[in-house]
Amino acid sequence: MNRDDLPPTVPPPQPPPAAPRGFTARLRNYFLTGLVVAGPVAITLYLTWWFVTWVDGLVRPFVPVDYRPETYLPFGVPGSGLVVAAVALTLLGFLAHNLIGRTLVDLGERLLGRMPVVRALYRGLKQVFEALFSGSGSSFRRVGLVEFPSPGMWSIVLISQSPSVEIANSLPDQEEHISVFLPCAPNPTTGFFFYVPKSKIIEIDMSAEDAATLIMSAGVVQPGSDQQKKIAALAGMANAARIANAANLEREPADTD
């Protein structure tokens, strides 16, 4: 018995054609498609415009009237304050890297360090900014899973730093702990901060941006859910199954009758 003697394969029955949709259903689909396309763009533009106008409102009082664009133009130029703020911050960073700039910064920090209430506020904000905007920092760049709020339920957390010596010595367990931040959906800027034993954290291969997208969408947008990759994987599995079936048929003994 060879492959030519095998009965012809019968193709699977085709599904019945879908019933034609009505005019109202098509309009609804068009509206939802337009909403999906225009919604993110509109919200992004609105937030960008709000940020630009907010920075312009903060910087404009510090710019002399003679140097404002609306003095020479019949209309205002949005973003001019943002450009001034970016240039000023760049110059401030350049001066802070010099000897004179570092001396002035140290003098200002010593003055703030002598103020009882301002001292704690300044030190806390400085540590937060250094942790977030430092290129060598590792805070909130790793993502993990923690069993929270009850056993069997897992939540996504952003992994931060290990606790200080004072806090580590005060923790009841002798195991090494690490600080994590658990964002809340749909606003990832709010959440819970707590210390977790390092062995209780499952670190996953996901960027902080994908984790924020997953949390803001409440699981609707899954990172890495590429439809083309799924189709390619299914096609590969089907091809492997077809090859395996063909090999099994060739190994069957011939019929002696």
Side-chain angles (χ1 to χ4, degrees):
M1 186 176 183
N2 52 23
R3 297 182 61 181
D4 297 334
D5 298 332
L6 295 176
T9 58
V10 180
Q14 299 293 332
R21 297 182 177 180
F23 180 72
T24 305
R26 287 198 299 268
L27 286 180
R28 181 183 61 189
N29 291 337
Y30 294 157
F31 172 77
L32 294 178
T33 303
L35 183 63
V36 170
V37 173
V41 176
I43 295 176
T44 303
L45 292 177
Y46 173 77
L47 293 177
T48 304
W49 179 262
W50 171 83
F51 178 74
V52 170
T53 54
W54 177 70
V55 175
D56 287 347
L58 291 178
V59 177
R60 185 175 291 108
F62 300 97
V63 179
V65 179
D66 295 337
Y67 295 98
R68 297 180 185 178
E70 57 268 18
T71 304
Y72 307 97
L73 298 176
F75 54 87
V77 179
S80 58
L82 184 62
V83 174
V84 173
V87 174
L89 291 175
T90 304
L91 291 177
L92 180 61
F94 172 75
L95 295 175
H97 276 77
N98 297 329
L99 179 60
I100 300 177
R102 287 197 299 267
T103 304
L104 295 177
V105 171
D106 294 338
L107 178 60
E109 289 183 347
R110 285 197 298 268
L111 292 176
L112 292 175
R114 296 180 180 179
M115 301 180 183
V117 179
V118 180
R119 174 178 55 192
L121 181 62
Y122 172 74
R123 288 180 179 177
L125 291 176
K126 182 180 179 181
Q127 291 176 359
V128 170
F129 273 76
E130 287 178 350
L132 293 178
F133 298 102
S134 177
S136 58
S138 58
S139 297
F140 300 150
R141 286 179 172 83
R142 293 181 297 162
V143 182
L145 293 173
V146 173
E147 200 169 12
F148 181 87
S150 62
M153 302 177 65
W154 295 86
S155 300
I156 292 180
V157 295
L158 301 178
I159 301 174
S160 185
Q161 301 290 342
S162 300
S164 61
V165 179
E166 295 79 4
I167 297 178
N169 294 333
S170 301
L171 294 173
D173 298 334
Q174 299 298 325
E175 187 179 355
E176 182 182 359
H177 286 69
I178 194 168
S179 56
V180 298
F181 176 71
L182 193 154
C184 291
N187 183 9
T189 59
T190 62
F192 303 94
F193 172 80
F194 46 85
Y195 295 101
V196 184
K198 197 171 184 180
S199 60
K200 302 296 183 181
I201 301 176
I202 301 177
E203 190 169 349
I204 58 178
D205 186 14
M206 180 187 295
S207 63
E209 291 79 8
D210 291 340
T213 302
L214 178 63
I215 293 169
M216 285 189 295
S217 64
V220 175
V221 180
Q222 295 289 335
S225 58
D226 192 351
Q227 191 67 20
Q228 296 298 329
K229 292 182 180 179
K230 291 182 179 180
I231 295 175
L234 292 175
M237 293 173 61
N239 189 27
R242 182 179 60 81
I243 295 174
N245 292 333
N248 291 332
L249 291 175
E250 290 180 353
R251 286 197 299 267
E252 289 182 356
D255 192 358
T256 56
D257 295 340

